[in-house]
Structure formats: structure tokens, C-alpha cells
Amino acid sequence: MKVFDLRFPLGWLFAVLGLLLVLAGLRATPTADARSLGININLIWGVVMIAFAIVCLWLARREARRRDSNVTRNE
Amino acid sequence: MQPIHLGPIDGAILLIYFAFVLGIGFVLKRHMRTSTDFFLSGRLIPAWVAGLAFLSANLGAQEVIGMAASGAKYGIMTSHFYWVGAIPAMVFVAVFMMPFYYGSKARSVPEYLKLRFDEKTRALNALTFAAMTIFSSGISMYAMALLLNLLLGWDFSLSIWLSAIIVLLYISLGGLTSAIYNEVMQFFLIVAGFAPLVFLGLRDVGGWSGLQTRLAAVSTAHGFAPGAFTHSWKFMGSAADNPMGVQWFAMLMGLGFVLSFGYWCTDFLVMQRAMAAESMSAARRTPLVAAVPKMFFPFLVILPGMIAIALTQQHGASGFSLPAKPDGSPNYDLVIPMMLGHYFPPGMLGLGLTALMASFMSGMAGNVTAFNTVWTYDIYQAYLRPRASDSALLWMGRAATVVGIAVSVAAAYFAAHFNNIMDLLQLVFAFVNAPLFATFLLGMFWRRATGHGAFLGLISGILAAAFHHGLTQPHGAITLAKGGWLGHVLHVYPSEMAQNFWTAIFAWTTCFVVTILISLVTRQQKSDDQLRGLVSSLTPRTTEEDVAWYKRPAALGAFVLFLALILNIIFW
């Protein structure tokens, strides 16, 4: 029996964490940025993580669809 | 030092991660119907998942904390653990050894030894391996609890029990699949948590050239040539010229050949991930998939150590310095956590800590899944209840998970005596694993090797390691745990690392020679028919005609070796 595709939980985890980082980044104060050398690292990295999450979920869905259509064709 | 204060968002990130970890365990529970599901993921894992888990299972505390500490102590030379050590061994196991591991349908590495040699060789391997995994898992827990205590002021016992219970839950629910899935998530979390850290640190020291300039000062302060911390090969002509105190022959033979091949080609902890792969072709690709990110890990785990020591050298002019241990030397084990606290604002701090926790927990989980399998198949089913039903085995797997974790908690409390986790683990690996690779090499490629030969070879290899360690000492040793415990010191090595590499070389050579000699004077108990699929000369070559050429192990392996060669040249 095939278990679920790992890319689903992976994608969702990164999406949620990325979103939290973006929220933190939007509320960042200059003092918080000073720590990370004046870069709003929360915002930038949050966006990167969300982009990664989207790619993961897209790939997982594409494969799930392909498998579904194979199953219906075989029936 | 002052504990770092965690904001609500950091706590939220950590909790979300825990929820995902446990959620995966709960969802997988209904897929765990047979012992094969629980111990081998039903042999259904795709190559990329198995590959990342292969890499990640080894990425516990010893890797992340130990490699950063070694980076601070020895500089870029630490990357030999990857570019000379792990990568060639991973290519070798994929191209040459996997056909026998996967093809034999053995459910564990000790079981392969039983099929190829005999019962006693398997028993020796199963028992030492079971003890070693529990020990490693205990060390992983100990390191985590110590760090969290220093870093966040968390209670030592609370950290241990919390992580133990989370790992216990997700493994006893979802078995190996749960461990593998979480290991892959952890791999991505570590990259996500540490890559920005390295970026910020490197920016702070003025890029690679800035780092070189500052490390030149560190180097000369230790009495070495200015480039000794930033060149991996240039100063290996003599052991006295480099901070690791290792000469090139000991490096190539000890680490590159014996220790690395001993670990990556025989350790069931990593091999279990490949054995769970969905096909022979996927199993052979598993170590190769792992090798590609593996060779770039020095930038994530070693570079922070080098950056930290470069910044510390300026006596805090940049606002960063490593805290000192009670004896006044810098506390190298705190490199990563200190940098997390220094550079990351709330939010990223939570992510960095989550990455660290994830690495600790999956290091533990990797050991526990390997332990419960070896215990159930190679000790319980083999000697205690040979006729156990499959559901009894499944039950025993869950029980072994509970007992294994309980014993590692005890080991965690016990592990508190040693400062550099990496050196200690290398020592244990040198005693038990170093001779093992000689046994597998002869077992897979010389059909004449016998069970008695393998068993006595292993025993003498382990004894040779112990004697060598007992008769030598690293420079400046003060405790007998570092060697010389036989009362007479024959040789003093410039460093503990050099001593470990030579211990491994002696153990391997002894095992290799003794196995051959004993095999020649004993009778082969196994018929050619029994050895089919286990020994190279009696096994038809696996053809990979149905697989695209770029997916074939030889092509992928050559590509991986080429990349590793380039890295060696760049950081010459």
C-alpha cells in the first residue's frame, strides 16, 4: 500500500512557517534588523520558504493527479 | 552566559514543527500492518526520499555541533570528513555493494552477515551495533539537553524527557516510514535554518577573502602558516604543520578509507534507508542522491565554526565572541547556537532553533529505528523466539522502541564526561566499525572467506584497536580515556584525531589479514548455491538497461566524484 506523498506535509510546514516569518518581517523594527546586519531576514527568508512550499505542493499535486488519471484509465 | 530570550513567534514555530512531526506519525499508523511495513517501510520508498533520509539520519548532534566545533578548531581541513571521507565511500557502496545488500533481501546488515558467513558473526555484529546505536542516541540527547540548558535556560531533564517522548511517539506509531519522512523534513529545515546564518556570518567577516585574512591571524597565533585554517591539503605534508595534527597518509587511509568506508558502507543506521527503497535501482541511487547535498554541507556546518573563531579572534570587536569554558579555552560546541542568538531576530531565531532540535531528534530517531530492527530481527527472532508470528514481531518492534529510548535516556545522563562529542564517537567507531569494512569487503568480493575467518578477524580487529589505543596517547593527554591505559605509552600522536585514524588503520589491517589467514585454513561451510546473490563472483551482474543512462549508478557516481574533486581543488 502506497503511503501519502511526503511533499504534502513538507510543503504545508514550509508554507506555515514562511507565513509566520513574513508576518514577523512586516512588523520588524529597525532594532531587530540591526541584529541581522540591517537586513530584514525574516521577510526575505519567509518569502523564499513560501516559494519552496508552493513548488513542493505543486509537484505533489501534479503527481497525485497523474496517478488518479492512470487509475481511471485502467478501469 | 545570558540565556537567549525566545519570543512568542519562536515558540509558535517550534510547536508547529512538533505538531507536524507527531501528525505524520499518527497518519502513518494505519499503514503499519506487518513487520515489513514497520521495519522496512514495506520497501516502498522512492529514491529521492531514501537518499535524503540516508543523509539526514547521520545528521544528528555529532554532525551539526561537532562539525562546527571542528571547523573552529581545525578550519577547512574538517571538510575532509566529507570530500575525502563520506563521498567516495557513498559512491562505492552504491556502485559495488548495494547489489548484495538489496539483492540478498536481507532485512538488516547483521542478517546479511548471517546469510554470508554464520550465526556467530551475525550475533557479534548485532550485539555491538545495538549497544552502539543506543549509546549514540544517548549522546545526541545529552548534547541537546546541555545546549538547551545553556542557551535557553531550559531544565536538563525536561529537555531529555520531552524529546524522548516525541521521538517515542512518532516512531512507535509510524515505524521506519515515520522516521524517514521526518528525516527528510529535518534535512530541509536544517538547510532553511542554517543557510541564512552562514550568509549573515560570511557577510559580517567580509566574505571568503575577509575570512581568510582573519583566520590567518588565528593560524599564526597557533604557530602555523597563515593559510593553515583555509587550505584543506596544502599543509598536510607533515603532521606538525596543520591544526589537525594529521599527515596526508593517515588522512587518506585512516579517515578516507577505513573509517569512512567502515561507516558509510556497513552501518545499518544509514543502510536501512537504502534497504527500504522501492527497487534495486532506487536502492543503488540512494547513497548517490545523498552524496550531492552531502558534499555541500561543509558550507552549512563547518563554515560557521570558522566564522565564529575568526570573529572571536578580534576580541569581540564585532560584538560576537565564543564563551569560554571553565578552563579558559573557547567552548567550541556553542558555535551554532551562539551565532543563531547573535544574528537572528525573533522569527528566524525560532526557525534556527527548530532546525537544531530537528537534527537532534532525527539523530536519535535514526538510531532508535536501527536499534528496534536489529533487536527484533537479529536478536529476538534469531535467538529468543524463532517462531514468533509477524504480529508478535510488530509488537516487539514497538516494545523495543520504548526500551531503546529508555536506555538512551540513561546513556544521556551517563555521557556527561566528554567534551568533544565528535572525537569520542570517532573512537567508538574506530573500535567497532573499522574492522567491519574488511569483513564486508572480503565477504562480498572473495568467495573463499569463511564464517570462522570473518568472526575471528572481527574479534582480532576490535582487539587490535583497543590495544593500539591502550598503548598510544595524543599529545597532552591527561586522562586514560584518551589512551595509554595499558600503562605503557609506545607512541605519542600530535592530536587525538591522528591517534583515532591510526587506531582505525591498525584495526582494519589486522581484521583483513586474520580473516584471510583463518579462511585459508578453515573449510567453507556455505555451498555456492547458498552464496549466490551474496558474493560478487557468484552473482549475475545487475543490468540497468531499463533505466535512463543518467540514472545509472556508474554515471551518477562518476559525476559525484567529479564534483567532489573540484571542491578539493578549489579549497586546496
Side-chain angles (χ1 to χ4, degrees):
Chain A
M1 181 159 111
K2 203 92 181 167
V3 297
F4 61 88
D5 191 327
L6 168 60
R7 283 169 295 194
F8 284 116
L10 182 62
W12 284 115
L13 176 66
F14 270 62
V16 174
L17 296 186
L19 202 64
L20 276 177
L21 289 184
V22 168
L23 288 179
L26 290 176
R27 298 188 351 185
T29 54
T31 40
D33 282 352
R35 233 196 222 186
S36 43
L37 314 175
I39 300 167
N40 191 337
I41 196 83
N42 275 334
L43 186 62
I44 297 171
W45 205 245
V47 171
V48 173
M49 285 179 69
I50 290 175
F52 174 80
I54 291 172
V55 173
C56 258
L57 293 172
W58 176 70
L59 286 174
R61 276 193 66 142
R62 200 181 61 162
E63 190 165 315
R65 273 215 201 106
R66 194 162 36 188
R67 199 180 299 154
D68 283 351
S69 66
N70 278 347
V71 170
T72 37
R73 209 174 305 140
N74 292 343
E75 275 166 1
Chain B
M1 64 179 264
Q2 203 67 350
I4 296 168
H5 182 71
L6 282 190
I9 182 169
D10 303 316
I13 289 178
L14 208 54
L15 285 180
I16 290 170
Y17 169 67
F18 287 157
F20 268 82
V21 166
L22 293 177
I24 287 181
F26 276 103
V27 176
L28 286 172
K29 182 170 186 292
R30 60 197 173 85
H31 293 279
M32 298 296 126
R33 302 226 173 101
T34 64
S35 71
T36 316
D37 292 335
F38 190 81
F39 297 115
L40 283 167
S41 300
R43 296 198 201 258
L44 279 173
I45 302 290
W48 75 272
V49 175
L52 292 179
F54 188 93
L55 167 69
S56 218
N58 158 268
L59 214 61
Q62 63 272 37
E63 187 86 352
V64 173
I65 302 300
M67 282 297 162
S70 298
K73 268 163 98 174
Y74 311 123
I76 194 81
M77 280 183 79
T78 310
S79 58
H80 286 313
F81 280 96
Y82 295 77
W83 300 338
V84 178
I87 303 299
M90 287 160 103
V91 172
F92 186 84
V93 73
V95 174
F96 296 107
M97 293 173 77
M98 201 54 80
F100 311 114
Y101 277 132
Y102 196 87
S104 70
K105 291 286 164 206
R107 298 168 299 177
S108 68
V109 166
E111 193 165 76
Y112 172 84
L113 287 177
K114 180 205 143 119
L115 295 172
R116 172 62 186 87
F117 293 115
D118 56 11
E119 202 61 76
K120 60 182 180 300
T121 312
R122 172 219 238 171
L124 176 66
N125 183 236
L127 291 172
T128 50
F129 180 80
M132 211 165 76
T133 46
I134 290 299
F135 182 66
S136 301
S137 141
I139 288 180
S140 205
M141 250 197 272
Y142 157 75
M144 176 183 68
L146 197 67
L147 262 188
L148 294 180
N149 178 260
L150 263 172
L151 200 63
L152 308 171
W154 289 7
D155 182 64
F156 185 85
S157 297
L158 177 80
S159 309
I160 286 196
W161 287 103
L162 182 71
S163 58
I165 287 171
I166 292 179
V167 171
L168 173 69
L169 276 175
Y170 82 75
I171 292 183
S172 53
L173 288 167
L176 181 65
T177 313
S178 192
I180 286 180
Y181 273 28
N182 278 307
E183 278 154 10
V184 176
M185 302 247 284
Q186 172 236 337
F187 164 81
F188 286 105
L189 271 174
I190 288 195
V191 175
F194 291 180
L197 185 69
V198 175
F199 171 75
L200 290 174
L202 211 49
R203 205 179 150 96
D204 206 15
V205 290
W208 176 247
S209 60
L211 185 62
Q212 275 178 312
T213 325
R214 294 186 199 211
L215 283 178
V218 176
S219 233
T220 41
H222 283 78
F224 298 111
F229 269 70
T230 45
H231 286 277
S232 58
W233 285 102
K234 203 173 170 187
F235 299 96
M236 294 258 284
S238 148
D241 290 348
N242 62 70
M244 212 178 248
V246 178
Q247 187 240 7
W248 64 269
F249 179 79
M251 177 64 75
L252 280 180
M253 274 304 285
L255 176 66
F257 182 61
V258 178
L259 280 177
S260 299
F261 280 69
Y263 180 75
W264 293 101
C265 303
T266 72
D267 199 289
F268 181 55
L269 167 65
V270 289
M271 220 49 71
Q272 188 176 24
R273 274 79 198 145
M275 286 174 163
E278 60 189 354
S279 64
M280 169 70 94
S281 161
R284 296 185 74 189
R285 259 179 288 139
T286 295
L288 299 172
V289 168
V292 176
K294 179 83 184 171
M295 74 176 92
F296 296 102
F297 256 76
F299 302 118
L300 282 185
V301 293
I302 297 173
L303 214 46
M306 296 168 64
I307 293 169
I309 205 71
L311 292 172
T312 304
Q313 177 74 7
Q314 301 184 302
H315 303 291
S318 66
F320 179 87
S321 74
L322 279 176
K325 281 194 288 203
D327 66 1
S329 61
N331 192 342
Y332 296 117
D333 288 346
L334 289 179
V335 165
I336 298 260
M338 286 299 292
M339 283 180 71
L340 289 177
H342 182 73
Y343 289 114
F344 279 174
M348 278 308 291
L349 184 61
L351 185 68
L353 267 175
T354 305
L356 209 53
M357 289 284 277
S359 103
F360 285 124
M361 293 201 329
S362 82
M364 234 169 95
N367 280 301
V368 171
T369 46
F371 169 81
N372 66 23
T373 308
V374 165
W375 167 264
T376 307
Y377 283 153
D378 293 298
I379 298 173
Y380 180 73
Q381 193 188 25
Y383 306 114
L384 305 176
R385 282 272 311 278
R387 271 186 287 275
S389 67
D390 193 71
S391 61
L393 293 181
L394 183 59
W395 183 88
M396 183 42 82
R398 294 202 158 109
T401 308
V402 177
V403 174
I405 287 180
V407 180
S408 22
V409 168
Y413 284 99
F414 182 79
H417 300 290
F418 302 93
N419 57 10
N420 197 321
I421 302 156
M422 191 68 206
D423 287 350
L424 178 68
L425 274 178
Q426 287 289 340
L427 183 69
V428 178
F429 291 160
F431 281 19
V432 180
N433 271 2
L436 205 56
F437 182 60
T439 308
F440 279 91
L441 201 61
L442 289 170
M444 286 180 176
F445 299 102
W446 189 45
R447 67 199 267 197
R448 185 69 184 75
T450 66
H452 293 308
F455 182 75
L456 292 173
L458 270 181
I459 295 278
S460 24
I462 294 171
L463 286 178
F467 275 121
H468 178 266
H469 188 255
L471 289 170
T472 58
Q473 258 181 351
H475 179 73
I478 35 168
T479 61
L480 290 180
K482 306 267 182 207
W485 41 268
L486 284 172
H488 185 74
V489 177
L490 289 178
H491 186 77
V492 175
Y493 288 104
S495 70
E496 211 171 315
M497 200 76 88
Q499 184 199 25
N500 290 342
F501 292 171
W502 279 104
T503 302
I505 294 173
F506 273 94
W508 187 88
T509 314
T510 307
C511 178
F512 191 75
V513 172
V514 172
T515 307
I516 292 178
L517 291 179
I518 305 279
S519 292
L520 288 175
V521 299
T522 49
R523 221 170 52 86
Q524 176 62 277
Q525 309 277 349
K526 302 259 180 190
S527 67
D528 281 2
D529 226 26
Q530 285 174 306
L531 292 179
R532 212 168 300 279
L534 304 169
V535 183
S536 171
S537 60
L538 295 171
T539 308
R541 286 281 294 273
T542 40
T543 49
E544 305 254 347
E545 312 265 284
D546 52 327
V547 181
W549 68 269
Y550 60 89
K551 280 185 171 176
R552 288 183 200 159
L556 273 174
F559 169 70
V560 164
L561 286 179
F562 177 70
L563 276 184
L565 182 69
I566 291 185
L567 285 171
N568 273 302
I569 293 172
I570 292 178
F571 292 94
W572 176 265

